[in-house]
Amino acid sequence: MKTAYVFPGQGSQFKGMGLDLYQSSDSARALFEKANEILGFEITKIMFEGTDEELKQTNVTQPAIFIHSVILAKIAPDFAPNMVAGHSLGEFSALVAAGALSFEDGLSLVAKRAAAMQKACEIRPSTMAAILGLADSVIEEICAGITDEIVVPANYNCPGQVVISGTIEGVERANELLKAAGAKRALVLPVGGAFHSPLMEPAREELAAAINAAQFEQPICPVYQNVNAKPATEVAVIKENLISQLTAPVRWTQSVEQMVADGAEIFIESGPGKVLQGLVKKIASNVELKSI
């Protein structure tokens, strides 16, 4: 039976995340301390004792989820994936867990990604919205029909759940049209900007330089990447897809479908929460779901 390990993205953080790991494992504690050193501030203090508001800050959220996810995989006694994938930010966790990047380089890239995304958010007010109960093709068509604002599908999370991303005006107009087209819900999300849209272009350019400068190795198994939902093992391909990720949609539904087609029967979530298990269940109801 083939096992796929999956790594969550932004939104799966919670108060006290990682504290049990820190207290129960010397190996985990060493990695947490290393993370504090790399970031230049005590992220562990915010993870273990911080408020929801503090954990929501992009420069905290992204590294915190990455650290938690990777440490779980690193200390798992039987971590032997046949394939890995991560949702948005989680792709960095997946790459580190699969040996394509070191923990240090992965965390540095995640910190740079968070800072670059925050800067891009400040250039132009923008947002995202979750659209429930509508076919992907209808969402794509309505977004494409709005030409004087930016609004695009950003996350294909599972059948009947797509997140759109763009300017505030673009998302508001799309929401009205999508509700008129039969969407069960069109809910604006409490996020700082239009992730996975053309509005992230300044962040993509900034991150591209950091990704190209980082040391990548061939992973121990295929990594199913967000931009095309295909398995990759070649360093050049992995880097190119990772650079494209910030302005392209997260094809999570398609990634899970492809992993199942390639033989995945067990999906193990490595990270805080169980968000991905819920999504995988809606995409492939007959697979086994676990968490580390």
Side-chain angles (χ1 to χ4, degrees), residues 87-143:
H87 189 289
S88 188
L89 157 73
E91 192 165 287
F92 288 82
S93 310
L95 287 166
V96 172
L101 272 170
S102 68
F103 177 75
E104 294 86 345
D105 282 352
L107 181 53
S108 294
L109 284 177
V110 165
K112 285 172 185 167
R113 179 184 191 265
M117 287 169 80
Q118 186 58 45
K119 269 196 272 181
C121 291
E122 287 160 10
I123 293 170
R124 189 171 178 187
S126 55
T127 192
M128 302 176 83
I131 312 301
L132 305 182
L134 211 53
D136 294 357
S137 58
V138 176
I139 296 169
E140 289 163 354
E141 193 179 326
I142 286 173
C143 287

Side-chain angles (χ1 to χ4, degrees), residues 87 178 200:
H87 189 289
L178 291 162
M200 285 292 116

Side-chain angles (χ1 to χ4, degrees), residues 35 38 64 85 89-90 93 96 121 138 149 171 196 199 223 225 227 229 243 250 264 266 268 275 281:
I38 292 163
L89 157 73
S93 310
V96 172
C121 291
V138 176
E149 291 288 343
V171 169
H196 301 288
L199 291 167
V223 180
Q225 291 189 276
V227 296
I243 289 166
V250 173
I266 303 168
I268 301 176
V275 172
K281 192 174 186 178

